[in-house]
Amino acid sequence: MANIFAFAEARNGELRKVALETITAARTLADSTGGEVHALLVGAPGIGAKAEQLAQHGADIVILCEHPGFTQYNPEATAALAAERIKGGGYRAAVFTTSAQGRDLAPRVAAKLGVGLVTDVTGLELTGDTLIVKHPMNIGKLIATIAIAHTPAVIAIRPNTFTPAQTPTAGRVETAEPVGDPSASRVVVKELVQGGGGKLDLADAPVIVAGGRGLKAAENFKLVEELADAFGNAAVGATRAVTDDGWRPHSDQIGQTGRLVSPDLYIAVGISGAVQHLAGMRTSRTIVAINKDKDAPIFNVADYGIVGDVFEVVPALTAAVREARKGH
Amino acid sequence: MKIAVCIKRVPDMDVRFRIGADGTSLDDSGLKYDINDFDAWAVEAALQLKEKAGQGEVVILSLGPDAAAETIRKALSMGADRGIHLKTDRIPFDGFAIASALVSELKDGGYDLIFFGKMSPDSSNGVVGPIVAELLGLPCVTAISKLDIADGKGTAKRELEGAQEIVEFPLPAVLTVDEGLNTARYPSLKGIMAAKKKPLDVKPATLGENKVTVQKLELPPERAAGRIIGEGSAAVPDLIKALQTEAKVL
Ligand SMILES: Cc1cc2nc3c(=O)[nH]c(=O)nc-3n(C[C@H](O)[C@H](O)[C@H](O)COP(=O)(O)OP(=O)(O)OC[C@H]3O[C@@H](n4cnc5c(N)ncnc54)[C@H](O)[C@@H]3O)c2cc1C
């Protein structure tokens, strides 16, 4: 029997979807040892209202730390608290998320504990004393199987890989005090700038419509936005060619030097399918490509392709999706 | 301002990779290598800070086999002042082992800033910078896309998913660089000539203990070949049908 620690990522007082995925991944590990999942939730006073959601997804104990110093992400105070709880808890593994916050936090915690760490984990299994994980390398062209013999093993799971499962527990809440004074942290987040005007983010959207240079000009991106709107649950992405030209912000870029996404549906509009772009989206469940060049490499990874001009095909598709979703 | 930039030599990703005979490493014959993009932006950031200050030193640090020296020379030809090559036959996957080796070199360096790229595309782990910061006890800001340094303090913008954070921190500090911070300059011919004469220290790397080990490398399963539904907007109804009945995403 070994317990598993999970970090429940929140931003601006809201749990992120990845938090539930992290609890789900931790639950699988805990079930294989007959242990419990202990989830750490930190935030401004009031964040405790989210503890119930964590219990619904498999947290046996929610370790809750509410403090005004956690209103924004507080890397130093959060790492200090997480490391202390993990050290005292005798956990077999500590599960974080491969997000901007998780990539910042997990290595800090692993370094404080002096233990091994793997990020971007897409599979996990406890075998005896060793945690074995899968981790894509070389932009997903290789898959490594990696052994973490240290206890606790620190891992960060890849978003959209561990589907949040409903595994309700009684979910006890234990309150925790911060380690030291969170207001005394050297690294201070002064402001959170929300991007995208309330539209869905790439990390959370089950559908992504992404545009490339085939759209010819920034203003034509409205074709992509309209198609995303028609789905109702879609985010807008872009290639580097497009973000370099300033048609879209860098944060929309998908690929090797951009975001890693794996939505249920990815629609590539006027995108050639360069290897650096594929690196960010090839794990999407279903891929659709619209390109006028029938030899474009994007068709090699697409489940469904339409050879045609985006200016003709996309408006027709938008209308058809609207029609199909009527009544939703 | 004394600035260190830690850089890595990484293979060009635009190839079909082969797995080495040991099953756990890459067969690197025929691969082309260059500086990691994120690291090139880190070098550029350091050079810009030095130029703005009108003085200072930019030191390039790289851990790797003999050929890492080429990558250091490239950064020197961009304008960095000197290089340190921590030599090891094979770069381990383990971020902790790498960070420990870098820390033994960085700890008495008196650097005001230590830059890293936010990750490298080969290991795809992205942990070395923050581990180095923890081991040195320095403040750390990851994935920055904007940076201002004034009066011993820094302000940076960090890229999140669909949002950004404005972060303040004191110097000395460790920073990891995301895309968007700048565009890396190309070495000029003059820079390339000058780089040949710049000092490059070679020392054996003292790697920390490996806490994680790669047991196996595999090629991912191929995506099953898809199908072209048709041409032009006439193909839209069939696509809708496929999304509804086969993919079940509509
Ligand atoms: C180190 C490195 C890192 C990189 N990282 C990334 C990354 O993270 N993400 C990324 O996306 N790229 C990245 N790139 C760039 C990448 O190599 C490609 O240049 C880029 O993805 C191409 O974008 P694109 O498909 O929009 O443009 P293009 O390659 O120009 O393709 C445009 C496509 O649109 C089609 N088209 C044109 N007009 C129409 C029309 N009217 N109707 C239909 N189709 C049309 C064309 O047939 C073509 O296939 C990186 C490159 C390097 C070297």
Side-chain angles (χ1 to χ4, degrees):
Chain A
M1 201 205 86
N3 295 339
I4 308 295
F5 176 94
F7 182 79
E9 184 168 323
R11 187 198 287 171
N12 235 7
E14 294 296 329
L15 282 183
R16 303 198 63 222
K17 177 167 157 254
V18 285
L20 307 181
E21 297 170 8
T22 305
I23 304 295
T24 299
R27 186 73 256 165
T28 349
L29 288 178
D31 286 347
S32 76
T33 75
E36 294 187 334
V37 171
H38 299 180
L40 177 62
L41 176 61
V42 302
I47 191 81
K50 309 291 174 193
E52 176 58 27
Q53 274 189 64
L54 298 177
Q56 283 303 316
H57 288 82
D60 299 292
I61 296 179
V62 177
I63 306 164
L64 174 67
C65 185
E66 296 184 316
H67 190 283
F70 290 125
T71 304
Q72 299 296 349
Y73 172 52
N74 186 327
E76 295 188 343
T78 308
L81 175 61
E84 190 197 66
R85 300 307 300 207
I86 296 168
K87 201 182 282 170
Y91 297 108
R92 185 61 200 79
V95 187
F96 293 80
T97 296
T98 311
S99 57
Q101 195 182 110
R103 274 193 190 278
D104 189 86
L105 186 59
R108 292 173 191 264
V109 171
K112 283 181 191 294
L113 297 169
V115 297
L117 156 77
V118 180
T119 66
D120 205 18
V121 166
T122 56
L124 37 80
E125 189 189 352
L126 264 174
T127 51
D129 277 348
T130 308
L131 181 64
I132 310 280
V133 298
K134 298 279 186 202
H135 165 91
M137 292 176 63
N138 294 47
I139 67 170
K141 290 183 160 193
L142 297 171
I143 308 292
T145 302
I146 298 174
I148 318 175
H150 268 70
T151 299
V154 175
I155 57 170
I157 58 160
R158 175 184 280 214
N160 279 324
T161 313
F162 298 87
T163 312
Q166 291 277 351
T167 37
T169 67
R172 220 163 65 239
V173 172
E174 270 177 23
T175 53
E177 291 301 314
V179 174
D181 177 6
S183 321
S185 291
R186 297 168 299 180
V187 175
V188 179
V189 174
K190 298 302 263 188
E191 191 189 341
L192 179 70
V193 185
Q194 295 283 10
K199 293 231 177 76
L200 268 177
D201 178 62
L202 292 168
D204 302 327
V207 177
I208 292 175
V209 185
R213 194 147 43 194
L215 284 153
K216 303 281 194 294
E219 56 272 23
N220 297 330
F221 244 81
K222 70 172 188 299
L223 292 181
V224 170
E225 279 167 354
E226 283 163 5
L227 179 52
D229 280 347
F231 276 98
N233 56 353
V236 171
T239 64
R240 176 158 162 189
V242 160
T243 57
D244 276 355
D245 286 350
W247 299 358
R248 302 291 299 184
H250 269 296
S251 49
D252 283 3
Q253 181 184 317
I254 291 164
Q256 176 179 333
T257 47
R259 305 275 301 276
L260 288 176
V261 298
S262 24
D264 296 335
L265 175 62
Y266 189 93
I267 304 184
V269 176
I271 290 177
S272 59
V275 56
Q276 297 89 355
H277 185 77
L278 301 185
M281 47 63 80
R282 73 178 335 138
T283 53
S284 304
R285 216 153 292 159
T286 300
I287 298 173
V288 171
I290 302 164
N291 195 303
K292 69 177 182 191
D293 172 10
K294 68 173 185 4
D295 297 321
I298 190 75
F299 288 125
N300 298 333
V301 301
D303 300 282
Y304 308 111
I306 293 182
V307 178
D309 190 329
V310 294
F311 298 99
E312 182 213 337
V313 177
V314 176
L317 181 56
T318 302
V321 169
R322 276 212 185 99
E323 187 60 33
R325 281 184 44 88
K326 257 195 196 147
H328 272 258
Chain B
M1 180 105 69
K2 189 172 175 189
I3 305 173
V5 190
C6 298
I7 68 172
K8 187 179 183 188
R9 170 183 177 267
V10 298
D12 182 352
M13 293 293 147
D14 204 352
V15 296
R16 215 182 167 80
F17 290 105
R18 281 168 313 182
I19 294 156
D22 62 1
T24 64
S25 65
L26 203 58
D27 172 359
D28 66 357
S29 56
L31 295 184
K32 278 192 304 195
Y33 283 81
D34 201 349
I35 183 172
N36 172 15
D37 268 312
F38 292 106
D39 300 350
W41 295 318
V43 172
E44 178 65 38
L47 294 174
Q48 286 185 13
L49 284 174
K50 180 187 155 181
E51 284 158 5
K52 196 167 157 220
Q55 52 159 350
E57 187 183 28
V58 175
V59 181
I60 304 297
L61 190 56
S62 187
L63 179 141
D66 284 332
E70 285 167 34
T71 311
I72 297 176
R73 288 277 175 220
K74 177 161 185 184
L76 297 181
S77 64
M78 288 168 71
D81 298 290
R82 64 184 170 93
I84 303 170
H85 176 188
L86 303 179
K87 217 162 110 172
T88 172
D89 292 340
R90 188 168 150 186
I91 305 177
F93 172 80
D94 192 298
F96 221 105
I98 298 168
S100 307
L102 297 175
V103 161
S104 58
E105 181 58 39
L106 290 165
K107 67 177 190 298
D108 300 317
Y111 296 103
D112 300 298
L113 284 170
I114 301 172
F115 277 103
F116 289 84
K118 84 161 177 184
M119 64 186 274
S120 60
D122 51 352
S123 73
S124 296
N125 216 19
V127 300
V128 177
I131 294 179
V132 163
E134 279 295 331
L135 297 179
L136 292 173
L138 292 177
C140 175
V141 185
T142 54
I144 64 167
S145 61
K146 200 159 181 259
L147 176 66
D148 280 305
I149 303 286
D151 309 323
K153 285 196 308 235
T155 307
K157 190 158 95 178
R158 278 190 81 220
E159 291 296 323
L160 313 182
E161 298 77 28
Q164 288 119 14
E165 285 171 349
I166 310 299
V167 185
E168 287 182 0
F169 58 95
L171 268 47
V174 173
L175 302 173
T176 82
V177 170
D178 204 345
E179 186 165 17
L181 183 64
N182 56 45
T183 308
R185 69 191 69 184
Y186 287 106
S188 63
L189 187 59
K190 198 168 139 230
I192 294 169
M193 299 312 288
K196 292 186 177 153
K197 296 197 201 91
K198 289 180 178 172
L200 201 174
D201 272 357
V202 185
K203 309 175 180 183
T206 43
L207 289 162
E209 170 210 5
N210 273 326
K211 295 167 190 290
V212 302
T213 24
V214 176
Q215 291 189 324
K216 191 167 66 175
L217 273 188
E218 292 168 284
L219 301 174
E222 295 274 340
R223 267 193 98 92
R227 65 172 203 268
I228 301 283
I229 297 226
E231 290 188 19
S233 49
V236 165
D238 286 342
L239 175 61
I240 295 283
K241 201 180 297 162
L243 294 181
Q244 285 174 325
T245 58
E246 291 174 24
K248 299 195 171 35
V249 285
L250 192 67

